[in-house]
Amino acid sequence: MAESEAPRRIDHDNYPDSYIKDILSSVRTIAVVGASQKWTRPSYFMAKYLQGKGYRIVPVNPGLADQEILGEKVYASLKDIPFDVDMVDIFRNSEAAGPIAEEAVEIGAKVVWMQLGVRNDAGAEAAEKAGLKVVMNRCPKIEFSRLYGELSWHGFDSNVISSKRRAVGTPGAEEAENPKAAPQKRAGFETRAIHAGAAPDPTTGARSTPIYQTTAYVFDDADHAASLFNLQTFGNIYSRLSNPTTAVLEERIASLEGGRGTTCTASGHSAQMLALFPLMQPGDFLVASTRLYGGSITQFGKTFKKFGWNCTFVDVDDLDAVRKAVDDPKCKALFAESLANPGGVISDIEALSEIAHGAGVPLIIDNTMATPYLCRPIEYGADLVVHSTTKFLSGHGNAMGGAVVDSGKFDWGQNDKFPSLAEPEPAYHGISFWESFGDLAFTTYGHAVGLRDLGPTMAPMNAYLTITGIETLPLRMERHVANAAKVAAYLDKHPAVSWVSYAGLESSRYHALARKYLPGGAGSVFTFGVKGGYAAGQRIVENVELLSHLANIGDTRSLILHPASTTHRQLTEEQRAAAGAGDDVMRISVGLETADDIIADLDQALG
């Protein structure tokens, strides 16, 4: 091909799905440079997987020349292969990738693909000038799985939305005929809230996500079973690890948060445990905000000590104190809430992200109260996001659950802080999750180790109810916020109320942060102080008629609570004050009823 006819340079940080699909649908023979005989190595994983999808794999490794890998002869170099090769897949370091790309040009290959962690821009430019297509820092196994519906089995965001039924692991009919047909533009939030992760059932055409009420799944044969247990392919083994209904929810939450993948759990508390499990070793500690849900303070400060994990609580408004606290080799994470429960306090996520990354640790943000509709912490530098899906995501007070969202952006191998992710895993014959799965490492570990060994699995029925709830999340959050603004303004002027802590009020010290991080509104859960203290707070919750007195938030119904006598009861008086749950504090979760009715009920209870 003449240089003038060479394809336009592509953005190697953001490949269109159509570009990847065109490659995967057009190549048939793939030379794997750096192929290994060891099944625990990423090159073997990839080769075995793609071989099972019908591609011919040609191993290239001078140290293994004339031996066999996966039934194919190993060649010493690309030039020794006596037949045409469509694609050259490089499992060598970035420096070596340049000469290999040049050799791929010489043998007439059509595509140069550099694996996860491998990038050589000079080699890519030379190959593109010669008319070859180039992909860098990607894995064809993962891309095939993502684009053709297999990766979602473990909660990864495929960025694929389609109303067409298709068999998992294969292109749909319209894609096989035209691999560029799939839309490339990122769908809107409302569209993803309804469609992300879901597709019509390929057998029945059922449009609503089925409830897969099963414990286990049939294997195709012994080799298929072995590949699943070895993590060489994606699929379901046992519902403690993964379930098709739950996988739809996981992908949907990942899509809405802008994350790479999600692991769903049985509750918000178990999500926090699973988020920390890959990071912490006995003797390590995390730094957490003093303004957390009372149950989180107890979990971090007391229960986790039984694991040998410790927690240092810091006022995250004091950035110097945060910086000092994380400056320790034993610190493994910084944890805060985007919108704190119960006080409506807003964390400066960008500032906390800068501090965490300066210390080489991830920032974990609990986004339960804000939901991704109001705030997306990953856009401001958060590495992990946790949810109690029991609250606003489910939205109807009828399904327990939790979720851990991985941004896919944290480098787990940058230092020796995170051996569970970066070093060989004994339970899987020494594979390294970070080396083998790259930006999918954290979520893969969450399923393959976290759910397997700790077992806090979300029930399929709860996943189904939460999927249904999320479909109306944008509409519900708009009404929640509108009602909360009216109720907060009413309480702010009530003679029986001494103060209101709602960032949506211009008088709030967090109003500026609310405008930055929650431009759509400051949520619908906030606190106010009632004159008369502890006793007055108890009288109010006993006097309400429309509002429900219970320990939950994020319901369609308006809820009220006196934290000092309930959710924060187990804390000391000093801890309650630091958490914003003093004796006079009332927490309200404003629901979707007529705002005037909510106000009328509060008025008679306060009176």
Side-chain angles (χ1 to χ4, degrees):
M1 178 183 290
E3 185 171 331
S4 60
E5 298 174 341
R8 179 176 56 86
R9 287 297 306 275
I10 195 164
D11 179 1
H12 289 289
D13 294 313
N14 298 284
Y15 295 107
D17 286 352
S18 60
Y19 182 77
I20 301 295
K21 280 186 173 182
D22 189 41
I23 291 173
L24 294 176
S25 64
S26 62
V27 304
R28 301 282 15 118
T29 304
I30 302 174
V32 181
V33 180
S36 173
Q37 288 179 320
K38 297 179 180 179
W39 75 261
T40 57
R41 301 301 299 157
S43 62
Y44 191 98
F45 273 43
M46 186 282 304
K48 181 175 174 59
Y49 177 85
L50 290 185
Q51 189 180 65
K53 298 301 177 185
Y55 296 93
R56 182 177 183 184
I57 300 299
V58 185
V60 177
N61 187 326
L64 301 173
D66 296 326
Q67 299 183 41
E68 284 192 358
I69 296 176
L70 295 169
E72 291 281 356
K73 178 181 176 181
V74 182
Y75 293 91
S77 70
L78 290 174
K79 293 179 180 178
D80 292 333
I81 301 173
F83 47 83
D84 292 339
V85 168
D86 298 322
M87 184 172 98
V88 174
D89 190 4
I90 303 174
F91 275 93
R92 298 284 303 280
N93 62 40
S94 296
E95 184 179 354
I100 295 171
E102 293 175 3
E103 193 173 354
V105 173
E106 293 177 15
I107 67 168
K110 302 172 184 175
V111 178
V112 170
W113 192 302
M114 304 182 199
Q115 276 293 327
L116 288 171
V118 182
R119 179 163 182 157
N120 188 307
D121 288 278
E125 184 175 2
E128 287 175 330
K129 284 184 176 179
L132 280 69
K133 292 185 176 181
V134 178
V135 177
M136 297 189 286
N137 192 28
R138 296 287 185 97
C139 174
K141 169 192 171 183
I142 291 173
E143 293 304 304
F144 186 98
S145 301
R146 177 179 70 84
L147 293 169
Y148 299 133
E150 289 187 337
L151 204 56
S152 60
W153 275 331
H154 291 298
F156 301 110
D157 181 17
S158 68
N159 193 28
V160 174
I161 290 178
S162 174
S163 63
K164 307 296 184 184
R165 66 166 96 177
R166 69 178 181 193
V168 172
T170 61
E174 78 286 353
E175 293 170 334
E177 295 172 3
N178 180 12
K180 298 183 179 181
Q184 295 304 304
K185 184 180 178 182
R186 183 77 164 171
F189 188 94
E190 291 81 1
T191 300
R192 286 180 283 132
I194 296 171
H195 292 281
D201 180 77
T203 302
T204 66
R207 193 62 188 90
S208 180
T209 299
I211 302 169
Y212 288 92
Q213 195 65 45
T214 184
T215 58
Y217 309 85
V218 174
F219 308 124
D220 295 342
D221 50 40
D223 186 63
H224 177 232
S227 294
L228 288 170
F229 278 93
N230 291 340
L231 302 182
Q232 292 170 329
T233 192
F234 297 102
N236 295 301
I237 297 173
Y238 194 67
S239 278
R240 188 173 74 247
L241 284 73
S242 63
N243 175 278
T245 308
T246 309
V248 171
L249 175 61
E250 289 171 330
E251 181 171 354
R252 186 161 301 177
I253 294 174
S255 176
L256 296 180
E257 283 286 6
R260 190 69 171 104
T262 296
T263 305
C264 278
T265 64
S267 67
H269 263 32
S270 59
Q272 291 174 169
M273 179 175 65
L274 226 66
L276 293 168
F277 184 59
L279 314 182
M280 306 287 283
Q281 302 289 330
D284 289 342
F285 73 95
L286 70 147
V287 174
S289 170
T290 53
R291 298 184 182 91
L292 298 179
Y293 164 58
S296 297
I297 293 174
T298 301
Q299 185 189 46
F300 290 1
K302 297 185 183 298
T303 306
F304 281 166
K305 285 185 178 180
K306 295 184 177 182
F307 298 164
W309 304 351
N310 299 296
C311 183
T312 299
F313 292 100
V314 179
D315 180 354
V316 294
D317 287 347
D318 185 347
L319 297 180
D320 288 334
V322 176
R323 192 173 288 107
K324 182 178 179 181
V326 300
D327 187 19
D328 188 304
K330 288 290 187 180
C331 177
K332 295 301 177 67
L334 175 58
F335 188 103
E337 295 180 2
S338 55
L339 181 60
N341 176 12
V345 174
I346 297 175
S347 301
D348 190 344
I349 300 172
E350 278 190 329
L352 295 177
S353 172
E354 182 180 350
I355 292 171
H357 295 161
V361 300
L363 173 63
I364 307 174
I365 293 293
D366 183 337
N367 201 34
T368 297
M369 294 249 287
T371 80
Y373 183 72
L374 297 179
C375 178
R376 284 178 287 282
I378 290 172
E379 295 178 359
Y380 298 102
D383 301 293
L384 301 171
V385 175
V386 297
H387 280 278
S388 170
T389 62
T390 311
K391 311 303 192 296
F392 289 100
L393 293 183
S394 173
H396 296 77
N398 58 8
M400 295 289 292
V404 186
V405 185
D406 175 29
S407 69
K409 297 178 181 179
F410 194 84
D411 182 355
W412 302 109
Q414 63 181 291
N415 49 44
D416 59 357
K417 282 180 175 284
F418 308 105
S420 293
L421 293 168
E423 294 183 5
E425 169 56 49
Y428 285 101
H429 302 278
I431 71 168
S432 162
F433 280 84
W434 178 236
E435 180 186 40
S436 298
F437 301 106
D439 61 0
L440 306 180
F442 189 92
T443 301
T444 303
Y445 187 95
H447 287 80
V449 180
L451 290 177
R452 181 197 66 185
D453 294 343
L454 299 178
T457 304
M458 177 181 277
M461 174 60 78
N462 287 345
Y464 174 80
L465 292 171
T466 307
I467 290 166
T468 304
I470 289 178
E471 291 182 359
T472 59
L473 178 67
L475 296 173
R476 287 188 288 106
M477 292 309 296
E478 286 181 2
R479 176 58 67 86
H480 276 301
V481 168
N483 280 358
K486 293 177 182 178
V487 172
Y490 155 76
L491 290 171
D492 196 39
K493 298 176 182 178
H494 198 285
V497 175
S498 54
W499 53 267
V500 176
S501 178
Y502 181 60
L505 295 173
E506 291 189 10
S507 57
S508 170
R509 61 180 288 201
Y510 295 100
H511 187 63
L513 287 176
R515 293 178 63 183
K516 175 179 180 178
Y517 292 114
L518 293 95
S524 70
V525 179
F526 61 90
T527 55
F528 61 93
V530 59
K531 295 177 181 178
Y534 196 97
Q538 288 189 312
R539 283 197 301 271
I540 289 172
V541 296
E542 291 174 352
N543 288 340
V544 291
E545 295 291 341
L546 176 66
L547 276 66
S548 298
H549 176 211
L550 53 82
N552 191 26
I553 58 173
D555 200 333
T556 55
R557 305 157 189 83
S558 291
L559 317 172
I560 194 165
L561 195 72
H562 181 227
S565 62
T566 51
T567 56
H568 290 65
R569 186 184 186 91
Q570 72 275 27
L571 305 183
T572 65
E573 186 174 344
E574 292 76 16
Q575 286 178 318
R576 289 204 306 269
D583 288 350
D584 65 333
V585 175
M586 306 297 300
R587 184 186 76 182
I588 184 170
S589 175
V590 181
L592 306 182
E593 303 95 340
T594 303
D596 289 345
D597 293 335
I598 301 171
I599 291 171
D601 192 38
L602 286 168
D603 190 64
Q604 64 84 21
L606 287 164

